[in-house]
Amino acid sequence: MLIGNRASEAAVRAIPVPPRTRSYNPIAYGDVIDMVETTAGQYDMSIIDRGFALGKDGGQLFAVWQVEGSDAVGDARIVRSIGMRQSYNKTLALGGVAGATVMVCSNLDFSGSDFRQVRKNTTNVWDDFRSIVERACADVEGAYARSVALRGSLEVREISDRKAYALLGIAQGEGVLKPQQITEAFRQWNRPAHEEFAPRNAWSFYNAMTEAAKRGPAGGYLGRGLAVNAFARRAFGAPAVLALPDA
């Protein structure tokens, strides 16, 4: 379900937590896991799958939980998800978001408008983190509905190879993805790894980019996914999103 250096929960919890200082109060990876799963339970959500990926020799963590939701909104090809990131090497701010996972390829759909991160790993970091997790859990249904709506709007937008190539060039020029990731996006557009993305439409293009975003450090995947989501919304006229976090 994840990218990069996949890790077991036991391996994630076993990574030593950096020492606390006056200006740095790190939250342990294990505490991130516990907070998300406890809060999800409080919102009566059942976790059906979870995955963890480590980057930078354990200095970065990306985690995603797939959860069951209500039947108010439904698309069997997309599942409700919560994503979190944290780092011990101070390269990423602790943050999280609700969204969706495209089941056929495990590509994630998270919007920058739903992303929240802690201000700093200082004295109040735990309160900030608790608020982020509670917001993500509370917004699972809303974020999922937005993902379903985005899919619907992109599936009806046919695009030519020429248009796709031009957009990928713009994406590289704007720094949405790095050259090796853009190369993979071209590959996924020209020869999709999944037949569901054979139609020449904006949804297939979007998934070519999200597939490419899997390449790179695990801790930065959430940021790359947010950037791809924002780019697709701009390119195809979907509602604008908020400014993206650094990743």
Side-chain angles (χ1 to χ4, degrees):
M1 184 176 69
L2 273 174
I3 47 87
N5 297 319
R6 302 183 187 188
S8 67
E9 181 177 338
V12 170
R13 290 181 180 273
I15 296 176
V17 183
R20 178 178 178 176
T21 67
R22 180 177 300 178
S23 61
Y24 180 58
N25 183 20
I27 291 180
Y29 292 161
D31 289 339
V32 172
I33 297 170
D34 292 340
M35 174 62 80
V36 170
E37 299 195 358
T38 297
T39 307
Q42 293 171 348
Y43 279 82
D44 296 323
M45 291 187 292
S46 297
I47 296 172
I48 57 178
D49 198 5
R50 56 177 61 76
F52 309 99
L54 295 168
K56 304 295 184 180
D57 297 320
Q60 297 178 338
L61 168 70
F62 174 66
V64 63
W65 290 262
Q66 294 179 354
V67 300
E68 290 182 339
S70 75
D71 294 328
V73 177
D75 186 329
R77 299 163 296 180
I78 303 177
V79 66
R80 297 158 178 82
S81 301
I82 296 171
M84 299 294 301
R85 74 179 191 190
Q86 169 64 321
S87 69
Y88 284 165
N89 58 9
K90 304 182 184 181
T91 56
L92 298 171
L94 172 60
V97 65
T101 303
V102 182
M103 293 303 293
V104 67
C105 55
S106 297
N107 290 342
L108 302 181
D109 177 32
F110 292 131
S111 169
S113 62
D114 300 315
F115 180 84
R116 295 293 182 274
Q117 65 183 26
V118 300
R119 289 163 290 182
K120 291 182 179 180
N121 281 320
T122 54
T123 305
N124 297 322
V125 65
W126 187 258
D127 290 336
D128 284 355
F129 174 52
R130 182 182 293 108
S131 175
I132 287 168
V133 174
E134 289 179 349
R135 181 187 176 102
C137 289
D139 196 40
V140 162
E141 290 298 325
Y144 174 76
R146 289 188 287 276
S147 291
V148 172
L150 178 63
R151 177 188 180 126
S153 68
L154 296 185
E155 281 186 321
V156 299
R157 293 286 301 274
E158 294 185 0
I159 63 173
S160 65
D161 286 342
R162 185 179 181 86
K163 175 71 171 178
Y165 299 156
L167 286 172
L168 289 175
I170 294 170
Q172 180 173 347
E174 292 183 350
V176 176
L177 294 175
K178 294 183 178 180
Q180 67 174 13
Q181 295 158 350
I182 289 292
T183 298
E184 179 62 19
F186 271 108
R187 183 180 297 112
Q188 291 296 328
W189 174 257
N190 289 324
R191 296 184 298 279
H194 306 279
E195 63 181 13
E196 287 81 358
F197 304 132
R200 304 293 77 185
N201 59 35
W203 177 246
S204 297
F205 176 84
Y206 179 52
N207 277 278
M209 290 194 69
T210 54
E211 184 71 31
K214 293 177 181 178
R215 293 176 174 258
Y221 181 39
L222 182 54
R224 296 192 299 273
L226 294 173
V228 168
N229 180 279
F231 180 82
R233 289 176 180 274
R234 292 196 305 271
F236 300 111
V241 296
L242 301 182
L244 297 175
D246 294 332

